[in-house]
Amino acid sequence: MNIHRNPVAWAKLGKDGQVHRLAHHLMDVAACFEAIVTLPVYRNKLEALIERDMDDFDIQRLSFLVFLHDVGKLNPNFQMKRFRKSSSPHASDGFNFIKQARKKDHPFHSLFMQVHRTMGGETMTSVMRHILAHHGTPARPMPIAWDKPKDLEYDLAENTKDLGAAAKAWFPKAFDPKARPIKNSHALCHFLNGLTALADQMASSNEFFDYYEEIDFGHSKWARKQAAEIMIATGIDPGDFKLQGTDDETLYGFTNLRPAQASMRDLDLDANLVVLESDTGSGKTEAALARFGLLYGAGKVAGMYFAVPTRAAAKQLHTRCVEAMKRMFGDIFPEPVLAVPGYMKMGDNEGLKIGKFEAIWNDNRTAQRWAVVETDRYLAATVAIGTVDQAMIASLRTKHAHMRGSALAKNLLVVDEVHASDAYMTRIIKNLLDGHCALGGHALLMSATLGSVARQEWMGRDIEPFDVSAQHPYPAIWTDRQNGPVFVDASGAQQKSVTMREVPSMEPDQVARIAILNAQRGARVLIIKNLVSSAQRVYNAIIEQGGGHLLFDVNGVPAVHHSRFATEDREQLDQAVEAVLENDEHRQQRSAIVIGTQTVEQSLDIDADCLITDLCPMDVLLQRIGRLHRRITGMPRPAGYETPRCIVCTPDYGMQYLTEPNFTEGLGAIIRDGAVDGIYTDVVGLEQTRRLIHDRPEWVIPEMNRYLVEMATHPDAREELLNELGAAWRQYEEAVMGRILDDTRHAGRLCLDRSAPLPEDYDERASTRLGEFGATLMFPRGTRGPFGNFVSQIVVPSHMSEGLPDNPPLRVQLRRDRGLNIWAMGEEGNVVRAYTYTRQGLKIMTEENAGD
């Protein structure tokens, strides 16, 4: 029998056979944890949780417990993995180790029991349970054998003794009887779980810690020095970033502040939750960046995560934030991370991922780019700009939610364009905010169209009567420090008018005719459809009616803008739309037509003369109308469009048809297996919106914002309308409200409750949006898309990827129209799904569109 010698308990094996001793890895992680919790922002969070100040005894006790995070790797069956496959879940083994340490003859008994006595037995048990779950999923004790394999030469007792000696030498204050008890709480344990996971990921990075096999009792000094340097390099410790000042020029880049910006500058810095309601184009982004600067300068935050609705919005905002950070911090500034999966960008630098946890960068500063290499690290960056989904994951019972939430605790969380159109997302975001603010974190919510019902829910307050809600000032700022609004003086704000017209038709041919007619009159026309398929049909109708030359194009190819394009093509589509609808006083006056979906309603800095949109909820409609009001003051419009136009397409068969229920053009609902499903299912709110369009042919923004939103969303106004509409509408309303309640309950079941014990199970498929999950198709290297670009990947919507695994093998065929036919293959070489990818985007392949 071949005997395998393993004298040293190891924790990590290198690619070339290097061995990293277990004691050293445990110290590396403990040193990173210790460095994190001594940072002022994190230390303040812990002191708030234990309800007293922290001292060196507390920090070393907690660091000692974190030191034990991988102690289950002492198990001989784990150590056998150096030589062959062996089953040994070391998190569960850690439970067994701690159980054995209660015995008097165990090398850890005296150390363990001393901490048990001073910290408090219940606290230590709870904390340790959460630390052992640091891999992002629950860990539980299991009856696991610690018997040594017969072909392994390994001394468990000697290695355990060495580990105990190291712990005693490296954390002497942890075992001092003068240490005080620590108050136990679920929130404390959840927070420590996330910090342990964060420390473990940092200490496991090869660029930070080398591998050492032989025991070195001086390792703790080196590890602590290294950990302190790592905090600076990664930006967890923002000590190198010095705010240049808090004057308006530094914070905003200008001194002539708009009302909302001035009010935000003067706002109470002790307010943890702030809601800013202000119209599109009023400078909310600059106000948010200034809020970050002021909080950072006061030492209340150490970073910022700026969450926006879409990937396109994140990409655009990232560029603005890079310039803002340079202005606010000078030459040494926090480089904003673009927190969008598939992109590797930090500041002005771009990287290329070459493997799990590895990337190469154009400036070779890999350590500084640590937070952008993996998506679950995004929230640990000093400054990051990404989609709201990346923050919402911290609120779900899913892997690494704890690490995300604990990393986020140091940051100002900004959520842009919040509204009440999605009960599922609202519930998840509220849970995120509750947890963040409970730790003393700071959050800023911004919206142009937030109704009082949604706002009161965010703030945790009762709904006010319609008469009260409709009379509140607009714009306005609300905080958790006072009941009423902080009044924003908008007396000097520019009022922007738009003519409103209802067209009772949603047919592609009719939409195309209206668009072409307005473009021929010299207008820049923006069409926003509720469905991708509808946008594609309008595109075809415009081509058929001879208006193809009016469509915006990419590399000379007429295009349509939506989410079902490859990453590289989306970038060019964004640029092309902005070029056509550029918000620039020097732009050329050329008529054009842009067709898009929700991807253009809030993501791009564009300005049109005429908006043709499907009917949608009032808050969404006002957001879309904002694409008419981003023009620089004094920029000329074509004759006849001095006041921009909004044409709203409604069903020609009447709104009551939707209550039966029926689903069309994104409106109404579908009954599936007894459940209500759809996009814009609030038919009562849609009808109220339609009536306001019909009854008021000119809207003045932002003067009318508050009234319009309250009329469409407030329960009192809705009840009055329901009484007029009759029984069929009320029956539908009850079904929709039931669906909203179901969505809210479903979101609640998926939410991570940090005020409760660690959940027994996680849902790895928990989604930030209903129906969000879909497969990613990775194209073979060298594949060119329909616009002539090399393309790497495309995300398939969930309803188009049923039965498809993520990243399946692909067979790709070039079409005559420069598009692609794509066959996604199964494990046995069979075709699972087939698609076409053309200038219209991704579609399911049919006999009619297959091409050759």
Side-chain angles (χ1 to χ4, degrees):
M1 181 173 60
N2 186 26
I3 301 297
H4 301 289
R5 294 191 68 256
N6 192 81
V8 174
W10 59 271
K12 295 188 175 296
L13 300 176
K15 294 180 180 178
D16 300 322
Q18 310 102 310
V19 173
H20 193 40
R21 190 169 186 127
L22 177 60
H24 290 173
H25 170 67
L26 300 183
M27 185 62 225
D28 296 342
V29 176
C32 286
F33 172 85
E34 193 175 87
I36 292 170
V37 298
T38 52
L39 295 174
V41 172
Y42 282 116
R43 185 168 187 149
N44 290 342
K45 309 296 182 197
L46 279 172
E47 289 182 342
L49 288 169
I50 67 174
E51 298 179 5
R52 64 171 175 79
D53 65 302
M54 287 182 61
D55 53 30
D56 291 343
F57 299 104
D58 297 318
I59 291 173
Q60 285 207 11
R61 274 186 305 185
L62 292 174
S63 298
F64 165 67
L65 296 182
V66 171
F67 176 82
L68 298 177
H69 76 285
D70 269 354
V71 73
K73 289 182 176 180
L74 279 169
N75 189 331
N77 292 291
F78 178 89
Q79 295 297 312
M80 194 65 192
K81 291 182 179 182
R82 183 176 181 181
F83 309 104
R84 66 166 184 256
K85 288 185 177 180
S86 177
S87 176
S88 180
H90 60 271
S92 295
D93 285 347
F95 277 104
N96 294 339
F97 178 89
I98 292 169
K99 182 179 179 180
Q100 292 298 317
R102 295 178 181 274
K103 298 180 180 179
K104 291 184 178 180
D105 59 347
H106 195 277
F108 265 75
H109 176 74
S110 61
L111 301 177
F112 196 78
M113 295 311 297
Q114 183 60 47
V115 174
H116 190 275
R117 283 190 294 269
T118 59
M119 179 181 275
E122 181 183 353
T123 301
M124 197 191 78
T125 300
S126 298
V127 167
M128 200 65 233
R129 179 170 178 257
H130 285 71
I131 286 174
L132 290 172
H134 64 280
H135 286 302
T137 54
R140 55 183 61 86
M142 296 172 62
I144 300 171
W146 281 63
D147 298 333
K148 184 177 70 173
K150 293 180 180 180
D151 55 345
L152 178 67
E153 184 179 307
Y154 170 72
D155 193 330
L156 172 61
E158 191 63 27
N159 275 284
T160 303
K161 183 179 178 181
D162 287 347
L163 206 62
K168 189 172 183 179
W170 294 342
F171 307 101
K173 292 185 178 180
F175 317 110
D176 194 306
K178 295 192 294 291
R180 294 175 290 172
I182 292 179
K183 181 179 179 179
N184 186 36
S185 71
H186 296 307
L188 171 68
C189 294
H190 283 276
F191 189 53
L192 292 173
N193 173 292
L195 294 183
T196 304
L198 183 62
D200 186 46
Q201 283 218 14
M202 301 185 80
S204 299
S205 298
N206 293 337
E207 67 263 34
F208 296 157
F209 290 94
D210 297 326
Y211 281 25
Y212 294 100
E213 183 169 0
E214 296 304 319
I215 187 71
D216 175 10
F217 281 95
H219 183 77
S220 64
K221 184 177 181 180
W222 178 86
R224 284 179 167 122
K225 179 177 179 294
Q226 189 73 355
E229 293 176 357
I230 290 165
M231 297 301 124
I232 293 288
T234 59
I236 299 291
D237 180 354
D240 280 355
F241 307 131
K242 307 298 182 186
L243 192 70
Q244 298 296 292
T246 56
D247 58 286
D248 291 345
E249 186 65 43
T250 300
L251 294 176
Y252 293 94
F254 49 85
T255 56
N256 186 23
L257 303 187
R258 297 176 183 178
Q261 294 168 340
S263 295
M264 187 65 70
R265 176 197 58 197
D266 300 330
L267 198 65
D268 183 0
L269 293 181
D270 288 327
N272 293 99
L273 178 59
V274 177
V275 177
L276 169 59
E277 296 178 282
S278 189
D279 59 306
T280 299
S282 61
K284 293 192 293 293
T285 297
E286 290 77 15
L289 294 173
R291 175 75 174 171
F292 162 64
L294 291 167
L295 289 169
Y296 183 93
K300 293 182 179 296
V301 301
M304 173 179 65
Y305 185 78
F306 205 126
V308 293
T310 65
R311 295 159 64 99
K315 285 160 44 188
Q316 184 187 73
L317 181 59
H318 177 262
T319 302
R320 295 171 64 184
C321 281
V322 171
E323 296 307 311
M325 293 304 108
K326 290 177 181 178
R327 181 185 70 247
M328 293 166 68
F329 290 89
D331 294 338
I332 302 176
F333 64 96
E335 296 179 306
V337 167
L338 178 57
V340 176
Y343 293 88
M344 296 285 291
K345 192 163 187 178
M346 189 169 180
D348 296 319
N349 301 283
E350 295 190 17
L352 176 66
K353 193 160 185 178
I354 57 176
K356 190 172 177 61
F357 304 122
E358 293 182 281
I360 54 175
W361 290 83
N362 57 338
D363 64 352
N364 296 318
R365 300 173 70 206
T366 56
Q368 285 74 12
R369 314 280 177 243
W370 177 84
V372 73
V373 174
E374 295 295 322
T375 59
D376 53 20
R377 300 174 183 172
Y378 284 159
L379 303 187
T382 308
V383 175
I385 297 90
T387 61
V388 66
D389 306 75
Q390 292 300 323
M392 288 168 65
I393 295 171
S395 185
L396 296 173
R397 290 189 294 107
T398 192
K399 192 171 185 179
H400 293 310
H402 284 90
M403 188 178 85
R404 288 173 181 259
S406 295
L408 179 65
K410 68 181 174 62
N411 293 340
L412 168 65
L413 171 63
V414 180
V415 185
D416 196 12
E417 298 304 346
V418 295
H419 53 75
S421 294
D422 190 323
Y424 180 88
M425 290 182 66
T426 296
R427 176 67 180 83
I428 294 172
I429 296 175
K430 184 170 189 331
N431 187 63
L432 172 69
L433 291 171
D434 289 346
H436 184 64
C437 293
L439 287 172
H442 289 263
L444 168 61
L445 309 181
M446 303 193 299
S447 178
T449 57
L450 188 64
S452 63
V453 174
R455 184 189 64 244
Q456 294 297 87
E457 181 176 357
W458 294 119
M459 305 296 291
R461 294 170 181 164
D462 295 335
I463 300 174
E464 299 171 320
F466 174 83
D467 291 343
V468 175
S469 298
Q471 293 303 313
H472 282 310
Y474 184 93
I477 297 176
W478 309 74
T479 79
D480 57 359
R481 302 269 291 180
Q482 62 186 76
N483 290 325
V486 177
F487 180 66
V488 177
D489 181 9
S491 57
Q494 181 187 7
Q495 298 298 322
K496 296 160 285 191
S497 297
V498 56
T499 60
M500 304 296 297
R501 175 187 164 202
E502 177 192 2
V503 172
S505 175
M506 306 181 82
E507 291 300 315
D509 289 345
Q510 176 74 348
V511 174
R513 279 192 291 271
I514 296 172
I516 292 172
L517 177 62
N518 282 274
Q520 288 173 339
R521 291 173 176 170
R524 285 174 170 78
V525 180
L526 174 61
I527 303 171
I528 302 182
K529 300 293 290 180
N530 293 337
L531 301 175
V532 171
S533 58
S534 298
Q536 292 167 334
R537 286 194 292 270
V538 171
Y539 171 93
N540 288 331
I542 290 176
I543 297 288
E544 291 168 2
Q545 293 179 27
H549 66 287
L550 295 168
L551 288 168
F552 86 103
D553 67 81
V554 173
N555 298 334
V557 180
V560 57
H561 193 287
H562 55 75
S563 60
R564 298 178 198 169
F565 284 95
T567 302
E568 296 79 6
D569 289 342
R570 268 298 297 272
E571 287 193 43
Q572 283 215 312
L573 285 163
D574 293 348
Q575 293 168 7
V577 169
E578 289 185 326
V580 170
L581 302 178
E582 188 177 9
N583 181 22
D584 190 330
E585 59 185 332
H586 302 298
R587 74 181 186 183
Q588 296 178 354
Q589 291 296 318
R590 182 180 70 83
S591 60
I593 300 174
V594 171
I595 310 169
T597 60
Q598 289 90 333
T599 55
V600 297
E601 73 186 31
Q602 54 190 194
S603 305
L604 305 174
D605 188 15
I606 56 179
D607 182 276
D609 304 308
C610 177
L611 170 67
I612 304 172
T613 173
D614 285 343
L615 181 64
C616 55
M618 179 61 78
D619 54 355
V620 177
L621 178 58
L622 287 170
Q623 187 68 50
R624 293 179 181 182
I625 289 174
R627 302 307 99 183
L628 297 170
H629 286 142
R630 298 187 72 84
R631 183 173 299 249
I632 296 172
T633 303
M635 189 189 303
R637 290 189 186 274
Y641 295 87
E642 291 83 1
T643 298
R645 303 179 184 183
C646 177
I647 299 167
V648 182
C649 300
T650 62
D652 57 1
Y653 34 76
M655 295 293 288
Q656 186 157 341
Y657 169 80
L658 298 174
T659 67
E660 293 182 8
N662 288 297
F663 177 82
T664 182
E665 299 297 328
L667 308 178
I670 311 169
I671 302 297
R672 288 176 176 163
D673 300 324
V676 180
D677 194 15
I679 300 174
Y680 298 133
T681 59
D682 180 10
V683 177
V684 176
L686 291 169
E687 169 62 9
Q688 185 74 292
T689 300
R690 187 199 66 79
R691 291 185 175 208
L692 289 164
I693 295 165
H694 186 271
D695 296 343
R696 292 175 176 261
E698 183 169 321
W699 289 3
V700 180
I701 305 299
E703 179 182 300
M704 293 174 61
N705 273 31
R706 179 78 69 198
Y707 171 78
L708 292 170
V709 173
E710 294 303 324
M711 280 293 293
T713 62
H714 197 283
D716 294 350
R718 294 169 62 88
E719 182 63 24
E720 184 176 339
L721 179 59
L722 274 170
N723 289 335
E724 176 188 340
L725 292 171
W729 290 79
R730 189 171 294 280
Q731 183 178 358
Y732 178 88
E733 174 81 348
E734 290 172 356
V736 170
M737 295 309 294
R739 184 237 180 173
I740 292 173
L741 184 59
D742 287 343
D743 285 355
T744 305
R745 286 172 176 167
H746 180 54
R749 289 191 294 270
L750 296 177
C751 282
L752 178 63
D753 184 357
R754 288 179 167 84
S755 65
L758 193 71
E760 289 298 317
D761 63 322
Y762 285 13
D763 186 347
E764 292 309 311
R765 297 286 292 175
S767 173
T768 56
R769 307 174 198 236
L770 281 173
E772 174 75 4
F773 280 108
T776 299
L777 306 182
M778 305 295 295
F779 293 116
R781 186 181 296 273
T783 300
R784 287 187 183 271
F787 303 115
N789 305 312
F790 288 112
V791 292
S792 60
Q793 63 180 2
I794 189 168
V795 178
V796 184
S798 59
H799 70 275
M800 292 173 59
S801 57
E802 184 178 353
L804 195 65
D806 198 40
N807 192 16
L810 300 182
R811 182 160 60 88
V812 178
Q813 178 191 63
L814 185 65
R815 297 159 51 103
R816 289 182 179 178
D817 61 2
R818 302 202 309 190
L820 302 171
N821 288 336
I822 306 166
W823 292 271
M825 314 302 289
E827 294 181 359
E828 299 178 359
N830 57 310
V831 176
V832 180
R833 305 282 292 197
Y835 306 93
T836 64
Y837 180 48
T838 68
R839 65 185 67 177
Q840 294 189 44
L842 190 74
K843 293 182 179 180
I844 293 176
M845 186 186 295
T846 64
E847 290 184 7
E848 290 75 20
N849 68 17
D852 54 23

